[in-house]
Amino acid sequence: MAPTVLGIDSSTQSTKALLVDAETGRVLDERRAAHPAGTEVDPRAWLVAVDEAAGPLLEQADAVAVGGQQHGMVLLDEHGEVVRDALLWNDTRSAPQAATLVDELGGPAACAEAIGSVMVASFTASKLRWVAENEPASAARAARVLLPHDYVSWHLAAHGTEPFTDRGDASGTGYFATASSDWDRELLIRALGHDADLPRLPSAPGEAMAATASGAPIGAGTGDNMAAALGLSLGPGDVSVSIGTSGVCAMVSDARPADASGTVTGFADATGRFLPMTTTINAAKILDFGRALLGVDHDEFARLALASVPGAHGLTLLPYFDGERTPNRPDARATLHGLSTASSREDIARACVEGLLCSLADGIAPLEADSGRAPERIILIGGAAQSAAVRALAPAVFGRDVTLAPTGEYVALGAARQAAWALAATAEPPTWSLEGFETLHAAPTPDVLDAYQQLKARTEGWS
Ligand SMILES: Nc1ncnc2c1ncn2[C@@H]1O[C@H](COP(=O)(O)OP(=O)(O)O)[C@@H](O)[C@H]1O
Ligand SMILES: O=C(CO)[C@@H](O)[C@H](O)COP(=O)(O)O
């Protein structure tokens, strides 16, 4: 019988677990469990969720790996107990601390050179500095700092295992040097005020870092976006656009990014290369907000949006509801411009979908500029890629064809591929063929993006 592997996605809203055939990548079983809402969460809730979703599948797996939401700050004391709730990637309270750290490092260009990215509130280091300044007793108790996926992997490992991580997720902390692929302790100490234990890094991608109590190898795991790239087998010329809690545009690159403008974050990937990315804080929630406001379900919301016209009869939504990260406007709020008494429910739904897609178009353009070439494929994934309106309007707003990936859990699939890699102990991950991709065409609607850019420029400096 072919070996089976378990891939786990511990993302913002839920844990998803896939049991997968290690030779073909075929999904054999799938389970999920919800996470608590909010940007500050007791990390033990993720362990409850992983036990619920993955527990029944773990015994059947020959290897396992975990992809997790990036950047979240898990603080543990010397006994491994949780010091305070984890601050998540979408918690913007640490924006001033991020700006201070960037200054202390010598400005945006120096920061990008040191860690591959210009730090913003999402990065773990800025959260550590926030705790050091605002809750010094918690900072003093912190003996170990983990990322969400490290904490979940450690929970699955046999008793006595030292925590471990990978360079992909580590590159979102703000204390990992992407040039040397190693921790930068000076940056950790600068952020937290003292040294702390950090998880072990693999010496090569694909390495088995530990084993479960029953002896199944555990891969290093990685950040959810790095896992999605692995799950999609993202290749040169591909840009993935993920619409989950966050909106993420990503591509793989052999060159180490260091964008001093801060738009493109220069993370490492899970294969030894890099994953230049742009990320928004407001993505699927824009549609969740719209449909709650209109009191309809996903399907009816999509139907309403498609019943309006390009430009929603003059309605434009700048969707920075909970502050934004790309562009870096942590204190921003959303703006709906152009309402008249003739505006309809259909127009409001349309403005939400177009606002979401324009914010993603804003994320694709800098990746294109950075790589100096037009993407060959723009691949749509994530929960909100299931919306019929998103599917119909994405090629119109982006002004080019879009490749729709078959509905699936690509983060968990990528984690499963990493587990299969650890099991095979080969130099490269196994090749799994993906089928069922569909090309979406539409007539371009450039005026929609123009109106959005004008509103964005007009609201610069507003909060
Ligand atoms: N048919 C749909 N239309 C629009 N949004 C959807 C649809 N189905 C799911 N979603 C949204 O997708 C989001 C979850 O996406 P997912 O990629 O699983 O997020 P995450 O990985 O960040 O936890 C939720 O906000 C949910 O409302
Ligand atoms: O902060 C980032 C990327 O830098 C986010 O993409 C998080 O990794 C959360 O991802 P999702 O839960 O939306 O998948």
Side-chain angles (χ1 to χ4, degrees), residues 116 144 151 201 221 354 415 441:
R144 194 188 283 285
Y151 188 56
L201 288 159
E354 289 181 343
H441 310 272

Side-chain angles (χ1 to χ4, degrees), residues 9 18 34 47 73 102 117 125 152 255 269 285 288 292 338 363 376 422 436:
D9 171 11
L18 295 186
L47 307 186
M73 178 204 68
V102 171
S117 309
V152 174
D269 81 346
K285 71 164 71 159
D288 291 335
E376 278 156 39

Side-chain angles (χ1 to χ4, degrees), residues 2-8 17-30 57 60-63 409 412-420 423 430 432:
T4 56
V5 287
L6 182 60
I8 295 168
L18 295 186
L19 190 69
V20 175
D21 181 313
E23 282 171 9
T24 62
R26 191 166 62 90
V27 176
L28 305 170
D29 203 349
E30 174 169 1
L57 305 178
Q60 302 171 55
D62 296 296
E409 297 299 343
L413 188 68
R417 189 162 171 235
Q418 195 194 47
L423 186 65
W432 288 350

